[in-house]
Amino acid sequence: MAAAGAPDGMEEPGMDTEAETVATEAPARSLNCVEAEAAAGAAAEDSCAARGSLQPAPAQPPGDPVAQASVSNGEDAGGGAGRELVDLKIIWNKTKHDVKFPLDSTGSELKQKIHSITGLPPAMQKVMYKGLVPEDKTLREIKVTSGAKIMVVGSTINDVLAVNTPKDAAQQDAKAEENKKEPLCRQKQHRKVLDKGKPEDVMPSVKGAQERLPAVPLSGMYNKSGGKVRLTFKLEQDQLWIGTKERTEKLPMGSIKNVVSEPIEGHEDYHMMAFQLGPTEASYYWVYWVPTQYVDAIKDTVLGKWQYF
């Protein structure tokens, strides 16, 4: 008759012990060469990984550009993180440029920004916002607001060179040489006026002397058409009045670009004189029989070198 077994779901005492004994006493299988090398490699990798995880990351030195790149990237040129920006419309050479610029930047820094946009050197810029923008004041100090229009006047170096470089230097040199050889008073355009002779009512001259302008107008002279002309210098208004029988032209001194003169051949105590009213010689207003003692005073007065006496 069989012995009664343990109830269902219950293990007999000693079963776990026997299992453990069998597992302990089971002989270990020897590893072949390939398995041994793989096991050694895995152990080495685990050891290196453990050491690497314990090493601290190298500290980034202060001012390192790599560390700062993540901060400065994407900011407007001339601006900094957290700085208040203002929208500007920079207008130069009939072109508008919409930019954002720090409100606390100076006029000098704004010129650098304009240079980066237009290529116009700061030294050749005239920047205006309700007048000339001072280089040492900030946009906030001159009360620049968002949407403000900044007007820029100036020429690039290439533009200046293009204007100042003669298109035909040889032709201009030849013309200048020709003018040197022939005095103005001998040129046909002046000869027809000078051939009329000295006006009877012209003011007397003092050869070799230099005098201040008289208190009365200089009169009795001819203009290019041969008509009588008088010159009145209104110093208090900074104007030159050129009067003829028909009308009087009132010219601001600052609008006259240059004054040229030359003694009249055979009458060196009188000069022929031209006031340049425009950019070229075609704008010369000629006056003939100017007393020589007033020539220097006229030039100094018109060109801004005169002084009160």
Side-chain angles (χ1 to χ4, degrees), residues 42-251:
E45 288 179 2
D46 291 342
S47 175
C48 291
R51 286 198 302 270
S53 63
L54 296 175
Q55 289 182 348
Q60 198 70 258
D64 191 325
V66 176
Q68 293 175 352
S70 62
V71 177
S72 60
N73 247 0
E75 290 179 357
D76 188 70
R83 299 178 69 183
E84 183 178 355
L85 301 179
V86 64
D87 292 319
L88 302 177
K89 292 185 182 295
I90 297 177
I91 304 173
W92 173 72
N93 202 19
K94 299 182 180 179
T95 304
K96 293 182 180 180
H97 303 274
D98 293 324
V99 300
K100 289 182 180 293
F101 200 69
L103 194 57
D104 291 310
S105 292
T106 63
S108 178
E109 292 171 324
L110 178 59
K111 283 189 172 185
Q112 292 294 339
K113 178 65 175 177
I114 294 171
H115 175 52
S116 69
I117 296 172
T118 65
L120 188 62
M124 302 181 73
Q125 296 177 21
K126 184 179 288 186
V127 183
M128 289 172 287
Y129 173 75
K130 298 181 180 179
L132 202 61
V133 174
E135 292 191 355
D136 57 342
K137 290 190 176 182
T138 66
L139 303 191
R140 189 187 299 276
E141 288 176 319
I142 61 175
K143 303 187 186 306
V144 172
T145 57
S146 185
K149 293 182 179 180
I150 306 295
M151 304 298 296
V152 181
V153 179
S155 300
T156 63
I157 294 176
N158 290 337
D159 292 337
V160 173
L161 292 177
V163 171
N164 292 339
T165 302
K167 294 182 179 179
D168 190 347
Q171 182 179 358
Q172 291 197 2
D173 290 344
K175 184 177 179 181
E177 190 66 26
E178 182 181 349
N179 290 339
K180 288 180 182 179
K181 293 179 181 178
E182 185 179 26
L184 291 172
C185 60
R186 294 185 189 177
Q187 295 178 14
K188 184 178 179 180
Q189 59 174 327
H190 304 301
R191 195 70 259 168
K192 63 182 182 180
V193 179
L194 295 175
D195 284 346
K196 295 178 66 173
K198 184 173 69 173
E200 294 181 358
D201 57 344
V202 72
M203 297 180 71
S205 65
V206 181
K207 190 174 181 179
Q210 292 184 359
E211 297 183 8
R212 291 177 292 176
L213 292 174
V216 297
L218 296 177
S219 59
M221 300 167 291
Y222 288 140
N223 60 18
K224 194 172 182 178
S225 62
K228 287 296 183 68
V229 65
R230 65 184 177 276
L231 302 177
T232 306
F233 296 89
K234 295 288 187 177
L235 301 185
E236 67 281 1
Q237 301 175 33
D238 197 29
Q239 291 181 345
L240 168 62
W241 292 9
I242 302 178
T244 63
K245 183 178 179 181
E246 293 79 18
R247 64 182 182 274
T248 299
E249 297 285 349
K250 300 180 180 181
L251 304 174

Side-chain angles (χ1 to χ4, degrees), residues 25-41:
E25 293 177 355
R29 184 177 60 86
S30 299
L31 299 177
N32 59 32
C33 294
V34 175
E35 290 173 333
E37 289 180 3

